[in-house]
Amino acid sequence: MVTALIRTIILYLILIVGLRLTGKRQIGELEPIELVLTLLLSDLASVPMQDFGIPLLNGVVPILTLLSLSTLFSYFSLRSVRFRSLVCGEPAIIIRDGKLLQNVMRHNRLTLDELLEELRGQSISNIDDVKYAILETSGQLSVLLRSDCQPITARQLERQVEDDVFLPTIIINDGRLMRSNLKQRGLDEKWLQQQLQKQNIRDTHEVFLLSVDSSGKVICLPKENEE
């Protein structure tokens, strides 16, 4: 029992570190080589976890080898456009000026139903409204609408609009005070206590979320009572 626990923990930590090195992608955004790597790693890790007759090293070595190859491939992909195109493929234009490129769809094994489903997912019902639809190497469909089908912006109307988009910084996260974030914003605990007093909150442990953005706007959400 103890052996199984130790083997599982070791393999789990190796996989976490390895996948962390491969970047932050969701499964649907993985390149083909990254998807293959993920599938192989899961299979290699499951065998030593279940079969105690297999030495742990027999599972660790292939995992480390695959991670090393992945890192090496990533390096060459950054250095060589041709290598990146060979391994990851290239984006393919599926729709150009409202016209379906059927040969490209067949080459990429993309059916009409799948294309229409992707367009509906982006609130597009008319192919004529599409200037370009590009099938990315990750399998995602990027759609660029014609200019007359896009929402009107303030720039097009030549109007001055106040910039009111600010990135908030979390000061309290589920009762935990993020002192580094507080210091980064140039604030201190005296300011924090003032904000808590405004909400009739006595302690940071009673706060679920407290954030402040560069404009000084504060959002404070107290914890709800657990039932």
Side-chain angles (χ1 to χ4, degrees):
M1 187 68 179
V2 176
T3 302
L5 178 63
I6 295 175
R7 290 165 70 100
T8 302
I9 292 175
I10 293 175
L11 290 169
Y12 177 75
L13 293 177
I14 292 176
L15 289 176
I16 289 296
V17 173
L19 293 177
R20 179 67 180 86
L21 293 175
T22 60
K24 298 180 179 179
R25 291 179 185 260
Q26 297 179 0
I27 293 299
E29 299 174 349
L30 292 177
E31 300 286 357
I33 187 173
E34 296 170 333
L35 180 59
V36 171
L37 173 66
T38 303
L39 295 176
L40 287 176
L41 289 179
S42 62
D43 286 339
L44 288 172
S46 62
V47 175
M49 286 183 187
Q50 299 173 1
D51 190 350
F52 298 156
I54 299 177
L56 181 60
L57 197 61
N58 288 3
V60 173
V61 171
I63 290 175
L64 294 179
T65 302
L66 285 176
L67 292 175
S68 300
L69 284 175
S70 176
T71 303
L72 190 62
F73 273 36
S74 298
Y75 172 78
F76 285 128
S77 296
L78 291 173
R79 302 286 294 182
S80 172
V81 176
R82 181 175 299 180
F83 182 82
R84 182 166 63 248
S85 175
L86 178 64
V87 174
C88 301
E90 296 180 352
I93 298 179
I94 303 298
I95 300 177
R96 188 196 301 270
D97 292 325
K99 180 181 178 181
L100 282 174
L101 304 183
Q102 299 180 27
N103 290 334
V104 180
M105 290 181 61
R106 283 193 288 267
H107 178 73
N108 288 274
R109 307 293 190 271
L110 180 67
T111 66
L112 183 59
D113 292 335
E114 291 171 336
L115 175 61
L116 295 177
E117 181 181 349
E118 290 287 342
L119 293 176
R120 289 195 300 270
Q122 302 189 39
S123 302
I124 300 172
S125 58
N126 193 347
I127 295 178
D128 292 335
D129 295 341
V130 179
K131 180 70 174 180
Y132 295 107
I134 305 169
L135 185 64
E136 307 292 354
T137 56
S138 62
Q140 301 294 319
L141 188 70
S142 301
V143 179
L144 303 177
L145 295 175
R146 295 201 333 255
S147 298
D148 58 345
C149 297
Q150 296 180 8
I152 298 177
T153 64
R155 178 182 296 179
Q156 292 172 324
L157 297 176
E158 297 182 352
R159 292 185 177 181
Q160 296 293 331
V161 178
E162 183 180 356
D163 186 4
D164 58 352
V165 179
F166 303 100
L167 184 64
T169 300
I170 298 178
I171 305 300
I172 299 178
N173 183 348
D174 197 5
R176 295 182 293 273
L177 175 59
M178 318 296 286
R179 298 185 185 275
S180 59
N181 291 352
L182 186 67
K183 184 178 180 181
Q184 178 185 354
R185 278 295 179 189
L187 304 172
D188 54 22
E189 295 197 20
K190 181 179 179 181
W191 173 89
L192 178 59
Q193 290 300 324
Q194 292 174 349
Q195 300 302 319
L196 296 180
Q197 290 175 3
K198 291 179 182 179
Q199 302 291 331
N200 295 321
I201 297 176
R202 294 171 297 177
D203 191 79
T204 57
H205 294 91
E206 301 176 9
V207 179
F208 184 72
L209 169 67
L210 190 145
S211 66
V212 58
D213 59 27
S214 54
S215 69
K217 181 180 179 180
V218 177
I219 296 178
C220 183
L221 301 176
K223 285 185 178 182
E224 297 180 353
N225 294 328
E226 298 182 359
E227 296 181 359

